[in-house]
Amino acid sequence: MVTKKKFFWITIVWRREYLFAIIFLFVCGFFCGLTRRDEPVDAPSLLPSAVAGKTIIIDAGHGGFDPGAVGRSGLEEKTVTLDIAKRLKRYFSRVGVYVIMTREKDIDYSAMPEAGALTKKRRDLLYRVRMANESNADLLISIHVNSFPQSIWSGAQCFYDSELPESKRLAEAIQNSLVTRLGPNRRKAQSADYLILKATKIPSVTVEVGFISNPREEELLADPEYREKLAESIFYGTAVFLTQEARSAAPVATTAGGGAGGTLTAKVYPELTFPTLEPGTACLYFATPNNEDLSFKPEIRPLPELEEKSKLQKAQVILEELAKGPGEGSVLLPCLPGGNWVHGLRLEGTRAVVDVSSELGTFINGGGASEMMAIYSLVNTLAVNLNLNEVTILVDGVKNATLGGHFLLGEPIKPRPELGPTGAQTAGDTGNYLRR
Ligand SMILES: [Zn+2]
């Protein structure tokens, strides 16, 4: 009896080990196949055991009623993000990663009796956040397609919330992979207050896979082969990140559901250093045309009439000037449309509350970059000229609205001076811009 049992037991073990060995060899083979192709010499070798067994939530941005950014050819962000998300899922599934998708069809999560696109987008965003926080996943990868009112910008770019150092490392690893695998791109991973990143408790990244507003990149995004390369790059970057985390002393945090654990550090923004403005001048924040990061260069505009105005009147004039766009001959780019999009404006101590028109959403065209730049063009400009600490933005009088489906408004927003001038002056820069 004993011998039989032993024999039976050994048989089972052998079978299991055999099975595990096959799976292990398959995963290793996949990694070898992946790393063999045209990798840079210093490409890190991947550790299959650091990747297999993880749970990753993939969020295909937008969907259903919300197309996201739309290109000139009619290509919609929601279609591109879903296709890349599905391809990415296949990569992860092959190496033993459990994948949760926020959507696998052309749907949204705004089902509700209330009307109004602004509130629908907010509902959809918050539902995705809830899915991520209840998923017990190790990582969140949210896929989006970028857009800006001008076609000049291109290049994939990763965004992270600065509160979690793991998120920054994840974004940098994916950015590095995108740049080395997809060709020249001077963009770097950047911090941004995307709601999905701010509100989730796990390391997370938003990958803006390219600018649909750039005709060449729109063509690429429509090409299934290019989407496959994008998925492979995101997968490889994530695998590098997981390998690096496993090899370092600090393993990746698994704080799903907001539980304890992980290294949370306080969000540190640089000290607010408002430039000293000459009387009768205003400082207006416009985007720099460089294709490297999302940043502003303020234009100093002489406005002698400001001297006799009250603080509120001054704010009104400055917003009107911001809507006029950069001065003649400037290389800078407007982040807000012309016309009168301010419905209401009031000052409460060191805070301004601005009620803007939902028509700004049309100008933003569903792009994460255009949304972020519009928000901070407004916030930075008001803060710097009126010495404010924060600005609350309402949309058509609605609190907690979103203009482009990435950032949730309604809470007071602090200016981000670090989005101001950095590095070398841009070509064509006449020195009319404020230097820090
Ligand atoms: Zn988007």
Side-chain angles (χ1 to χ4, degrees), residues 89-345:
K89 182 189 179 183
R90 283 201 284 274
Y91 275 97
F92 282 123
S93 300
R94 280 180 216 156
V95 296
V97 168
Y98 180 61
V99 176
I100 300 166
M101 304 276 279
T102 59
R103 67 181 181 99
E104 290 194 89
K105 284 184 269 183
D106 182 18
I107 52 162
D108 61 80
Y109 298 103
S110 67
M112 57 174 200
E114 305 160 48
L118 297 170
T119 327
K120 278 169 87 173
K121 278 189 187 181
R122 185 189 76 201
R123 282 275 292 242
D124 177 79
L125 267 182
L126 291 176
Y127 191 80
R128 288 170 202 244
V129 167
R130 199 177 128 195
M131 283 171 93
N133 283 338
E134 291 176 1
S135 67
N136 281 320
D138 297 290
L139 298 176
L140 169 102
I141 300 172
S142 180
I143 298 169
H144 282 261
V145 173
N146 225 334
S147 177
F148 195 68
Q150 287 79 20
S151 62
I152 184 169
W153 284 354
S154 62
Q157 186 169 19
C158 297
F159 294 89
Y160 58 89
D161 182 80
S162 53
E163 272 189 34
L164 263 187
E166 293 92 336
S167 296
K168 185 177 186 221
R169 294 198 291 271
L170 173 64
E172 285 170 345
I174 297 177
Q175 185 72 36
N176 193 32
S177 174
L178 287 164
V179 171
T180 48
R181 286 169 171 255
L182 297 177
N185 174 3
R186 296 170 75 182
R187 294 190 175 275
K188 296 177 196 76
Q190 205 171 345
S191 74
D193 295 332
Y194 280 73
L195 178 72
I196 194 100
L197 304 178
K198 267 175 67 156
T200 47
K201 308 285 193 293
I202 53 177
S204 55
V205 62
T206 290
V207 186
E208 294 276 6
V209 293
F211 281 81
I212 208 166
S213 43
N214 177 291
R216 189 186 61 83
E217 220 155 48
E218 184 187 2
E219 240 173 71
L220 287 173
L221 291 170
D223 177 6
E225 252 181 64
Y226 187 75
R227 292 177 187 176
E228 182 70 17
K229 273 193 199 166
L230 278 164
E232 190 194 58
S233 306
I234 297 168
F235 165 75
Y236 182 76
T238 311
V240 168
F241 164 77
L242 290 169
T243 297
Q244 285 168 344
E245 295 296 302
R247 287 194 174 129
S248 74
V252 60
T254 49
T255 57
T263 328
L264 278 171
T265 53
K267 190 170 202 159
V268 182
Y269 281 135
E271 191 88 352
L272 289 185
T273 47
F274 291 128
T276 319
L277 291 169
E278 296 290 325
T281 61
C283 172
L284 309 169
Y285 278 77
F286 298 113
T288 55
N290 78 53
N291 221 356
E292 291 173 40
D293 49 15
L294 305 181
S295 63
F296 293 110
K297 267 209 173 88
E299 178 188 317
I300 305 296
R301 186 170 297 179
L303 292 167
E305 69 266 32
L306 285 182
E307 283 193 73
E308 290 111 52
K309 302 230 183 270
S310 71
K311 205 172 174 182
L312 185 63
Q313 287 170 328
K314 201 174 161 184
Q316 282 161 342
V317 171
I318 283 162
L319 289 181
E320 283 166 23
E321 291 296 320
L322 193 62
K324 286 180 191 168
E328 224 182 304
S330 171
V331 295
L332 300 183
L333 309 171
C335 304
L336 290 155
N340 183 18
W341 38 259
V342 180
H343 285 339
L345 174 66

